[in-house]
Structures are given as C-alpha cells and as structure tokens.
Amino acid sequence: MTTPGLLPPGSTIGIIGAGQLGRMIGVAAVQLGYRTHILAPESGPANDVCFAFTRAAYDDPDALAAFAEAVDVVTYEFENIAADPIAAIAATVPVRPSVAALRVAQDRTAEKRFVEDLGGRAAPWREVDSRAGLDAAIAAIGCPAILKTTRFGYDGKGQARLHTPADADAAWAAIGAAPAILEGFVRFAHEFSIVLARGADGAIMGYPPPVNVHADGILASSALPAPAMVASQWTEAAALAGRVAERLDYIGVLTLEFFATDTGPVFNEMAPRVHNSGHWTIEGAQTSQFENHVRAICSLPLGPTGLTARAVRMENLIGDQVTRWPDLIAQDDAHLHLYGKHEARPGRKMGHVTRIER
C-alpha cells in the first residue's frame, strides 16, 4: 500500500538553484533512487550530481513552465528568488515548501510579524523605508544596532552595523538605500538553531539544536550537544518552529535561528530550506536533513533524527581554508565534504568538515 501523493523512486525532483545545498539534496535523492533536474542561470555544484539541467533565469516564465512539465515535484535551495513565477508553476506541479513559506522568509518584515503573531519573541526592530525613517528607528531602538535590507540578504550581505547614531549615513549608503529593518542588539550567551522536517502527512521530526558560531556574518561552526542553557530553551524554541511549520502547512526541512538569552530564546531569522547549521546531520544524525527533505517532499515517511555520536562538530571551509583539505582528509575523525567550486574567493563556502566523537 502506498501513501497518497507518494512519489516512487525513479521520479524526478526539480531543484531551483545549483549551489551546494542543491548538490547535497541531489546526493540524498540519488541514494533513494530519485533523479534531480536543476534550474539555474549558471552551472554550479549541484550540476555534478544532477540528471538534467535547465539554464535559465529564476523568473523566466517559459523556462519555468517547461521545467515544471519535466519534473514530479519542485523544491528550492535558497529563498532569494521571485515568488510570483514560482507560484505560477504550482498549478502544474507540487512546490514544496510552499510559495507561502517562500514569501514569508524572503522578507524580513513579513518574517518578524509572522513569527511574533505566533508568540515568538524577536529582537527590538523597526521598519525603515527612508533615511529619515532610519533616524526615527534609531530614536526608538537606540544603538548599537544593525541595519538589514528586507530582502536579498544572507551571510552578512545587505547589512551594516551602527555603533552610534553618527553611523547612520554610512549604514544607509552601505545597504544601497534599500527598504530595511533596524534591529537592536540582543545580549545572548549562545546562537543556536532548530532544524526540523515536516512531512506531507503533517508529521514533524526535529533535530537536536546545534550551537552556532559566526565570523563576519558567516557560519563558522556548529556543535552538539548544546550547553545546558540552550538545552533548557530547546523545547520552547522547537515549539515555535513547529507552530511556524503548521501555520504554513510546510513540507520539507525548515530552520529557525535563535539567540539563547537570560530571559529565554529570541528569534533571529528563518530559512525555508535545508540549512548550513544542519550539515552535521550527514554523519551525526540517524537521518540527514537532506534525506529527510527528500523524504518529505516525496511524501515518504520521515526518518529518525537522533544523534549517532556522543559529540559532533561541523566547521565550514571558507575561502582559502579549503586548501587544508589534504590534512583534513588524513584525520581519522574528520568527514570532509568539498563542493566542487573552482575558485576560492573570500567569504565563499567551499566545503565543510564534520568531526564525530563516539
């Protein structure tokens, strides 16, 4: 007996985006007997493991329509894509996660309001739509603060810090005078994330929370088990993530990032996709985030998410850190993942290494 809507092995998963997340989804898909078809404006790491490739802009309606006809389900590896063209193909093929999730997560203002409506607590913030609006936001929140574009920001891009109100002109110029939000700083002990998978049947499986360390706005490492403070806030943060998934009727892997503070978890941002802070799950969990994403979008039962080791640590290889690969691959406790990118630019994620302590 098969589950209604189940996509059997041999079906084709369409992935919008050709980066490393698409690559790792593709590896998991192949292991379960699926094919992947990538749509992206240029070739990338995911092309090394895909069955077919459509080179096209993410908002090309004709290319998207043909792509939808060629695949059995569509997913995406990042949220900085126009939602309307994706919504147009949802009438032809299932899009998982839904376009509703995409619309919420790609706009910081919508995201903050959505999570706060569900009982989540975010850092103090104000909407900024002009230079005068920035002054008003500073007056309301104070400094230090961080100015973030409402759209198209990731890995520290589209952001500027204000140490004092005198930094306002430089910060506004640094983000290109784009619509933004101003966030007040939060005193926190740790950053952590909740990564969960929600199946087509509504079942949810959550992973233990990793503690994350960032450098220059880019994730540097994720480690488990989490310290006691994070562990004590896990239940509350996971419950909020579950409410987000339920409200969006979400299918796939969803990630919410938090700050652990003396007064409880403070929501930072969400990602409607597999996430860098979940890369440790490939070796460190019973079922990786990538496999569970494939399982979810294909209407398969979700796999267990428990730890496979006493301790796990994932480190990103950013820029020329990738040149360490000969030493890393020789270490017994290191599991090396290289993304096949040909140029190691500063700030570019070239791979990661996961260490397992049993």
Side-chain angles (χ1 to χ4, degrees):
M1 181 177 178
T2 59
T3 302
L6 181 146
L7 294 181
S11 301
T12 300
I13 299 170
I15 303 175
I16 297 176
Q20 64 265 19
L21 298 179
R23 177 191 184 97
M24 288 181 273
I25 293 171
V27 170
V30 167
Q31 290 175 333
L32 292 176
Y34 294 94
R35 295 174 170 180
T36 59
H37 183 155
I38 305 297
L39 183 144
E42 58 186 22
S43 178
N47 290 79
D48 292 342
V49 297
C50 72
F51 167 72
F53 174 52
T54 294
R55 185 187 298 272
Y58 296 125
D59 59 355
D60 182 329
D62 294 333
L64 281 166
F67 174 70
E69 293 286 353
V71 303
D72 298 295
V73 64
V74 168
T75 192
Y76 42 88
E77 63 144 18
F78 69 112
E79 58 271 30
N80 287 329
I81 51 179
D84 287 347
I86 308 304
I89 65 172
T92 301
V93 65
V95 176
R96 297 174 171 173
S98 69
V99 177
L102 183 65
R103 291 189 194 279
V104 169
Q106 67 183 200
D107 185 290
R108 293 187 192 277
T109 301
E111 176 186 80
K112 299 285 189 188
R113 289 174 176 159
F114 183 84
V115 170
E116 289 177 339
D117 285 347
L118 290 173
R121 184 165 60 103
W125 67 281
R126 292 293 188 277
E127 199 168 357
V128 176
D129 58 7
S130 66
R131 176 61 185 82
L134 176 55
D135 287 336
I138 293 170
I141 292 176
C143 288
I146 184 165
L147 187 65
K148 301 179 178 181
T149 56
T150 56
R151 300 171 68 88
F152 306 118
Y154 64 97
D155 285 347
K157 299 178 177 66
Q159 301 184 11
R161 294 196 176 196
L162 292 85
H163 299 284
T164 73
D167 296 327
D169 283 338
W172 185 240
I175 67 162
I181 63 170
L182 185 72
E183 281 187 1
F185 275 25
V186 174
R187 288 185 175 273
F188 64 91
H190 306 282
E191 298 176 70
F192 70 99
S193 51
I194 297 295
V195 179
L196 65 80
R198 185 174 186 272
D201 60 355
I204 291 178
M205 296 292 289
Y207 290 91
V211 170
N212 304 320
V213 175
H214 289 79
D216 298 323
I218 302 173
L219 183 68
S221 66
S222 297
L224 299 99
M229 183 179 192
V230 171
S232 70
Q233 297 181 18
W234 176 6
T235 299
E236 182 179 346
L240 175 61
R243 293 196 297 274
V244 170
E246 294 284 356
R247 178 68 63 87
L248 291 170
D249 195 18
Y250 196 93
I251 299 175
V253 166
L254 170 69
T255 305
L256 271 68
E257 295 182 82
F258 292 89
F259 301 116
T261 77
D262 290 339
T263 56
V266 173
F267 169 75
N268 181 27
E269 61 186 25
M270 65 178 277
R273 52 173 169 81
V274 292
H275 195 261
N276 196 174
S277 67
H279 287 0
W280 64 270
T281 63
I282 298 174
E283 289 84 22
Q286 292 167 282
T287 310
S288 78
Q289 66 165 343
F290 302 102
E291 180 177 331
N292 261 338
H293 188 73
V294 171
R295 284 173 175 246
I297 66 174
C298 294
S299 300
L300 301 176
L302 299 177
T305 54
L307 290 172
T308 61
R310 187 172 68 85
V312 184
R313 179 179 175 83
M314 186 282 300
E315 299 172 4
N316 274 328
L317 300 176
I318 300 169
D320 61 8
Q321 292 176 0
V322 73
T323 59
R324 298 166 47 206
W325 75 264
D327 292 333
L328 293 169
I329 204 167
Q331 297 173 13
D332 291 342
D333 67 339
H335 297 268
L336 181 64
H337 297 260
L338 300 178
Y339 303 150
K341 297 179 181 179
H342 303 301
E343 182 183 0
R345 298 193 298 267
R348 194 180 197 194
K349 295 173 183 174
M350 302 297 295
H352 71 268
V353 60
T354 303
R355 300 179 188 280
I356 301 293
E357 184 179 334
R358 301 195 184 278

